[in-house]
Amino acid sequence: MSKKIIVAEDSSVIQNLTKKILSQLNYEISSVKNGQQVIDLLEKDDFGLVLLDIHMPVMDGMECAKKIRSMSGNNKDIPIVAITGNANNYTMDDFEAAGINAFIPKPLNYDSVVEMVKKYTDDN
């Protein structure tokens, strides 16, 4: 499976830390700040995983996940892992209804992030 990952996160600090850690593990990271930018990337290229913040400007993570699932082509089945500081506001059923495979709560535990990335990119 592709080692190309989209990190969609409007916090530059979280985005840069995530990119740095995953790049060291030989993942190719594309960073964006909103859901519309995720859709734009997926329309141009194939990726192996989307790490998707739920609360972002322009298009939030829930809407973005639904749009990804309605796309045509390979990327409509891409694994989506939500990143959220408001995990208590959602149930796993809410995430699954939007097409999200799993979620990681904030503050991020980067061991959990790496474990989740490896799980969904079959890199273990």
Side-chain angles (χ1 to χ4, degrees), residues 36-84:
Q36 183 57 55
Q37 292 172 322
V38 172
I39 300 301
D40 294 345
L41 279 177
L42 290 174
E43 287 174 343
K44 293 182 198 142
D45 203 357
D46 289 341
F47 289 83
L49 177 68
V50 177
L51 292 176
L52 186 65
D53 186 16
I54 294 301
H55 294 284
M56 295 181 291
V58 183
M59 181 190 300
D60 72 21
M62 297 299 263
E63 184 182 346
C64 179
K66 290 174 187 170
K67 280 199 182 280
I68 291 168
R69 295 301 180 228
S70 69
M71 294 174 83
S72 58
N74 296 336
N75 283 324
K76 72 178 173 57
D77 296 321
I78 190 170
I80 302 170
V81 176
I83 299 170
T84 182

Side-chain angles (χ1 to χ4, degrees), residues 94-111:
D94 295 332
F95 288 129
E96 287 172 355
I100 294 170
N101 300 83
F103 75 94
I104 304 170
K106 290 179 186 175
L108 291 179
N109 171 328
Y110 280 95
D111 289 336

